[in-house]
Amino acid sequence: MNPLVSLLCSRQSLGPKHLVDPGPGDAELAQMAEAALHAPDHGELMPVRFAVVRGAARARLAALFAQAARDAGKDEAGAALDAERAARAPVTLAVVARVDRGHMLVPEHEQWVAVGAALANLMNAAHALGFAGKMLSGAKVRNAAIQAAFCGPGETLVGWVALGSAARAPGPRRPKSGAATVLAEWSGRGARIRSGSRRSAQGGRSSV
């Protein structure tokens, strides 16, 4: 396998509890952003931006998460746990989509594809630079106070990328079904989905 492709295939998610200092600094974050900017993007709209949470801002994010937990009905112990989780990663990037739903040329679904492509490039660049991380979302992206803290008019909070150095190696990854389940010749007679890919799409959890 080509070395670069092998590197891409070796990327795995690693949660915040396994991330330690150092996280990516300014130079590494800039490289990651450049990688995101070079993802496929019809119309070059760049419908995503990344807000960097580090240093003292980690405590402010923790406070937002704690209040969101209380708003959701959790007790103080639960709120404290959510706050600790929010502040755990050395660097967190809030992923904010800025999709133009009325764009005359680029439909909404293509812009969402560009958001995902930029995120994938950013996370692959982090991996190439020697960092580990995980994309996280959940109910907190819909919390009004958290949305207001990160989003401007017309923007959508997608989630957060937790980043840092790996405190341990990722665990064994469940084997994928293989390229043949997603790659097939088109005969001109309509779509054909292999049974293996259908089962993969319906079963199990996934993380990015």
Side-chain angles (χ1 to χ4, degrees), residues 165-207:
S165 298
R168 66 160 179 81
R173 187 171 190 168
R174 187 173 64 182
K176 296 284 186 176
S177 299
T181 63
V182 296
L183 186 67
E185 296 289 341
W186 180 67
S187 66
R189 294 193 295 271
R192 179 185 178 189
I193 301 175
R194 295 174 184 264
S195 59
S197 62
R198 190 184 300 274
R199 286 194 298 270
S200 297
Q202 292 175 346
R205 297 175 58 190
S206 64
S207 63

Side-chain angles (χ1 to χ4, degrees), residues 7-186:
L7 177 67
L8 294 174
C9 292
S10 70
R11 197 207 70 81
Q12 287 186 245
S13 294
L14 192 66
K17 68 180 178 180
H18 302 300
L19 299 176
V20 297
D21 286 315
D26 290 346
E28 291 87 3
L29 288 169
Q31 291 183 68
M32 292 161 58
E34 282 293 335
L37 286 167
H38 285 79
D41 176 16
H42 186 190
E44 298 185 348
L45 302 179
M46 196 54 193
V48 66
R49 63 180 180 84
F50 304 95
V52 183
V53 180
R54 56 183 171 177
R58 292 163 69 181
R60 293 192 287 273
L61 180 64
L64 283 170
F65 271 48
Q67 187 56 52
R70 296 185 191 100
D71 293 344
K74 292 186 179 182
D75 60 17
E76 284 305 310
L81 180 60
D82 279 10
E84 190 274 332
R85 287 171 174 165
R88 190 178 285 163
V91 176
T92 297
L93 301 181
V95 183
V96 180
R98 42 190 183 183
V99 173
D100 182 354
R101 292 172 172 83
H103 198 277
M104 296 181 63
L105 177 63
V106 185
E108 182 178 346
H109 72 274
E110 291 188 5
Q111 296 178 56
W112 281 112
V113 169
V115 171
L119 175 60
N121 265 21
L122 180 136
M123 296 191 73
N124 283 326
H127 177 56
L129 290 167
F131 298 104
K134 187 174 185 178
M135 174 69 190
L136 305 163
S137 56
K140 288 183 178 61
V141 300
R142 298 182 291 277
N143 178 273
I146 295 178
Q147 288 178 338
F150 285 101
C151 298
E155 294 184 328
T156 302
L157 181 59
V158 178
W160 297 268
V161 179
L163 293 166
S165 298
R168 66 160 179 81
R173 187 171 190 168
R174 187 173 64 182
K176 296 284 186 176
S177 299
T181 63
V182 296
L183 186 67
E185 296 289 341
W186 180 67

